[in-house]
Amino acid sequence: MADDPLDVDVETMRRLGYQAVDWLVDRAAHRRGEPVLRTLPPSRMADRLSGAVPAGGEDFAALLDQLGTDVLPFRSRIDHPRYLAYVPGEGTWPGALGDLIASAYNIDVGHGMESAGPSRLELVVLGWFADWIGYPRTAAGVLVSGGSAANLTALACARESMAGAMSDDLIVYVSDQGHSSLARAARLLGFGPRQVRVMPVDDRFRMRVDALDAAIAADLAAGRRPLAVLAVAGTTNTGAVDDLPAIAATCRRHGVWLHVDGAYGGFASITTRGRAALAGLELADSVTLDPHKWLYQPFEVGALLVREGALLRKAFEIHPDYLQDSMVVDREVNFADHGLQLTRMSRALKVWLSVRYFGIDAFRAAVDSAMDLAEHAQRYIEASDELELMSPAALGIVCFRRRPSTETDERRLESLNTALVTALADSGLGLVSSTRLTGRYALRACILNHSTTAADVEQVLGWLETAPMPVTPPSSGRRRVSSKTADVTAGWPVPSADIRAAIRSLPLLSGVDETWLDWVASVGRRRRIEAGATVVRQWDVDRDFYLLLDGDAEVLSGERHLATMHSGDFFGELAALDWGASFGYPRLATIRARTDLALLVLTDAELAELMEAVPEVAARVRATAGRRASRV
């Protein structure tokens, strides 16, 4: 019998293992001295890493050296104490060793017959999670790669449990602060653009329950089937938690599945104040959790819990002939029947090992510290003459911006803060990310890593507060020209003089280049509406955008008067904006003509093209949309 070409003898295994572990420990010891972000353009990375596959083996120490020289330095250090961007991720050393053990054993936790021990370990870990969020003993779950996979699995379980096969009349409701993975899950499961309702939020960035209730009622009246509400326990933007008890009551009243995406904030439930902030999480039909966030596990591990656990198995259980030997009668669980994966690594091992090693109180202290530091950051910002608080601390997240007392122009403020984000990243000192809140550009600090201190937070905020002001050019009112769009007007019909004049008078298009004014005049469809007629109806799902050239219109929620629009205004921007995966808001208000109206109508795609080409228009539309979403 020939020698095994991939065999490694015991002494070599030990020698390579010591080399790798020593190398990793040395890196960990010097982590604070590394830049938070270091990158190179693709061409320079290609110069460092290229070449053919070697025919023969190479020295392991040399390979580690190349990793340490040409690969691993060029990345973000998401476990760095001054990494405050996106969602940080600092694991634990016992968790990393758990992954090493799971990989070395190469465990498949798909079927109980082949993994009695590891499957039991996963049940233990999932039981911890269920207890922490207040779920009953009927709950069941599965460990997956992360929150995105958990959200997809949850929506699939909801559909299979509530409706069975996909149908065009099934409707899903999601907050406009929901994670992009919710949009991706809906698209992958076959929900079309008219089947996802993006709901507005209140001034605390929580899904508006009144709007949700009205939208569900309108869909029921139209003969559609409301399927699921996708609420959030800790939004990625601000850390906001939806009003889960009120949303649960709405779902029960209408017979709708409630899924809560707690990927970011769910594990705050291990602390006293976190449990209070997440009140109502236990009422959900399913919950997503992410141990590689606030349970400090190495990537990748996410979790889905389903309140009535039998529904999870019923949604995914399939028994092909080639797996009949694994279908033993006394099996405890086949995790392959709880989700999308057949072959599954043991993700529970690292969780079990690290929680048992440190004890749950250590994790509680780390979560509490992160929330304390976010509140400390808020106080720092509020005391500063240069920084402006835009969203208060919530579950470790605080949003703010640099705002000199002399600056009021939103476009220049955006340019200033965009430049600060880039300059901070280039400095290597720290990292923050950006977002938009009610249409305004905001800096976002997410404090999650267990090694972050008050000094780290103050160092990053102090840099943003005192860094030299970037020079921001005045608003030019002109579009960015690219080779793709430079000849965009070729072949257009010449718009009439009257429509040209009407468009030039619109505040939305003030200062816009003549090329794009002509484009709007040419592609826009003119409509005349008689007094008393309804232009758009609340909760409808068409996506057109309207420029009000002449006349007055009334904005209504139900029959409640909200506002009056006049010549020069625009409406329909909320429905026209793409939230993600071609999903968007339904009409959040009814628009009724008070006088005869002259309108110019753009499709959602035409508005998107205009906004991409003309930043001034994009800023004005987003700012207006942000104000209106919380009001209507």
Side-chain angles (χ1 to χ4, degrees):
M1 179 175 173
D3 291 339
D4 181 351
L6 299 179
D7 181 51
V8 178
D9 64 78
V10 171
E11 288 307 313
T12 301
M13 290 171 65
R14 183 172 287 111
R15 176 173 56 83
L16 299 184
Y18 280 134
Q19 286 181 13
V21 169
D22 287 345
W23 183 70
L24 289 170
V25 170
D26 184 64
R27 179 260 165 188
H30 297 91
R31 180 181 49 183
R32 274 191 172 270
E34 295 179 337
V36 180
L37 174 67
R38 186 182 177 195
T39 189
L40 283 179
S43 59
R44 293 186 60 188
M45 285 306 310
D47 291 339
R48 286 176 173 266
L49 288 167
S50 59
V53 177
E58 299 181 56
D59 179 67
F60 188 70
L63 296 175
L64 289 179
D65 183 64
Q66 184 174 19
L67 285 176
T69 302
D70 294 331
V71 179
L72 297 175
F74 304 105
R75 59 182 178 83
S76 63
R77 277 72 168 174
I78 61 173
D79 57 351
H80 194 287
R82 290 191 298 278
Y83 185 103
L84 309 181
Y86 309 109
V87 178
E90 184 172 21
T92 63
W93 185 245
L97 295 178
D99 264 347
L100 173 63
I101 294 169
S103 295
Y105 268 85
N106 203 26
I107 305 166
D108 176 7
V109 196
H111 290 91
M113 184 194 77
E114 296 183 291
S115 61
S119 290
R120 182 61 198 168
L121 197 70
E122 186 160 337
L123 286 171
V124 168
V125 167
L126 289 167
W128 292 346
F129 296 173
D131 287 344
W132 293 342
I133 70 168
Y135 253 16
R137 292 189 178 275
T138 56
V142 64
L143 296 182
V144 293
S145 60
S148 296
N151 284 333
L152 175 63
T153 307
L155 188 53
C157 181
R159 191 190 69 188
E160 292 299 308
S161 301
M162 303 290 285
M166 190 64 200
S167 174
D168 291 344
D169 61 352
L170 296 176
I171 308 296
V172 171
Y173 307 83
V174 60
S175 159
D176 70 8
Q177 299 295 296
H179 192 266
S180 60
S181 64
L182 297 172
R184 185 175 293 113
R187 179 169 63 184
L188 290 175
L189 289 170
F191 289 87
R194 292 176 173 268
Q195 293 178 264
V196 175
R197 306 279 186 267
V198 179
M199 292 288 101
V201 295
D202 61 19
D203 56 3
R204 294 167 60 186
F205 301 101
R206 306 180 307 167
M207 185 191 296
R208 279 182 41 202
V209 183
D210 62 330
L212 172 66
D213 196 65
I216 292 174
D219 281 323
L220 286 169
R224 305 182 188 101
R225 289 191 290 167
L227 173 72
V229 173
L230 311 179
V232 187
T235 63
T236 307
N237 266 351
T238 66
V241 179
D242 287 333
D243 187 345
L244 301 179
I247 293 174
T250 292
C251 289
R252 284 196 300 269
R253 186 164 59 252
H254 294 295
V256 174
W257 183 284
L258 172 58
H259 173 66
V260 176
D261 178 8
Y264 175 73
F267 279 115
S269 60
I270 66 176
T271 70
T272 300
R273 59 177 156 169
R275 177 71 72 96
L278 299 170
L281 186 62
E282 72 282 358
L283 302 174
D285 294 292
S286 56
V287 176
T288 285
L289 300 168
D290 237 353
H292 61 219
K293 293 186 174 71
W294 247 347
L295 203 60
Y296 301 109
Q297 299 305 307
F299 297 143
E300 303 169 344
V301 56
L304 172 66
L305 296 177
V306 177
R307 185 180 178 81
E308 296 300 326
L311 298 177
L312 186 61
R313 181 174 59 82
K314 288 178 181 178
F316 290 98
E317 187 175 35
I318 297 175
H319 294 159
D321 290 342
Y322 54 80
L323 292 177
Q324 60 184 351
D325 295 336
S326 68
M327 300 297 112
V328 293
V329 174
D330 61 348
R331 74 180 190 276
E332 186 167 44
V333 65
N334 282 340
F335 280 111
D337 295 335
H338 284 198
L340 303 176
Q341 285 184 272
L342 181 58
T343 302
R344 306 170 63 256
M345 71 176 295
S346 178
R347 297 185 175 97
L349 205 157
K350 59 186 172 187
V351 179
W352 181 87
L353 194 61
S354 58
V355 172
R356 290 289 299 271
Y357 178 82
F358 288 109
I360 190 60
D361 284 350
F363 290 89
R364 290 188 175 115
V367 173
D368 270 331
S369 175
M371 290 193 281
D372 287 341
L373 289 174
E375 293 170 1
H376 177 69
Q378 177 180 335
R379 292 190 294 270
Y380 185 106
I381 292 162
E382 290 175 322
S384 171
D385 293 332
E386 284 286 306
L387 301 179
E388 177 187 19
L389 184 70
M390 299 188 72
S391 177
L395 295 181
I397 297 174
V398 61
C399 294
F400 62 102
R401 64 180 174 180
R402 177 93 170 258
R403 183 171 185 173
S405 58
T406 57
E407 186 57 80
T408 59
D409 183 85
E410 286 293 332
R411 283 200 63 232
R412 285 195 293 269
L413 284 169
E414 179 170 338
S415 296
L416 162 67
N417 283 276
T418 300
L420 285 173
V421 170
T422 301
L424 176 62
D426 291 343
S427 75
L429 172 79
L431 206 65
V432 297
S433 51
S434 67
T435 188
R436 288 188 182 276
L437 302 178
T438 60
R440 298 183 300 167
Y441 186 91
L443 304 182
R444 176 184 165 280
C446 181
I447 302 168
L448 183 145
N449 286 341
H450 53 77
S451 62
T452 300
T453 66
D456 292 314
V457 172
E458 292 170 5
Q459 198 170 357
V460 171
L461 293 178
W463 190 99
L464 293 167
E465 180 184 32
T466 61
M469 294 273 290
V471 177
T472 58
S475 174
S476 65
R478 296 190 176 274
R479 62 177 291 270
R480 296 168 294 189
V481 178
S482 70
S483 58
K484 178 181 176 181
T485 58
D487 61 347
V488 70
T489 61
W492 286 349
V494 178
S496 63
D498 66 321
I499 194 67
R500 280 173 177 261
I503 287 175
R504 285 192 184 91
S505 69
L506 296 174
L508 176 64
L509 302 179
S510 174
V512 172
D513 189 283
E514 289 288 330
T515 298
W516 284 91
L517 292 176
D518 284 349
W519 180 82
V520 171
S522 299
V523 303
R525 305 180 311 283
R526 300 182 71 173
R527 284 186 59 188
R528 294 198 174 275
I529 303 294
E530 293 183 354
T534 296
V535 185
V536 298
R537 195 175 304 278
Q538 193 173 26
W539 309 124
D540 282 352
V541 291
D542 57 289
R543 306 287 294 274
D544 284 344
F545 173 73
Y546 298 86
L547 296 162
L548 182 50
L549 302 180
D550 186 54
D552 296 334
E554 187 175 18
V555 184
L556 303 166
S557 178
E559 289 301 318
R560 179 169 59 95
H561 174 83
L562 297 177
T564 300
M565 292 191 172
H566 306 286
S567 301
D569 284 334
F570 60 85
F571 59 89
E573 76 290 339
L574 284 163
L577 294 177
D578 182 23
W579 173 72
S582 298
F583 303 130
Y585 291 93
R587 299 294 187 187
L588 299 183
T590 294
I591 308 295
R592 185 178 298 158
R594 296 186 65 180
T595 67
D596 290 347
L597 302 182
L599 300 169
L600 194 70
V601 186
L602 301 180
T603 66
D604 56 332
E606 289 163 350
L607 177 63
E609 185 173 354
L610 178 64
M611 290 174 62
E612 182 179 3
V614 189
E616 293 84 359
V617 171
R620 292 165 189 164
V621 168
R622 289 193 185 103
T624 300
R627 291 193 301 270
R628 289 176 176 172
S630 60
R631 185 188 68 189
V632 296

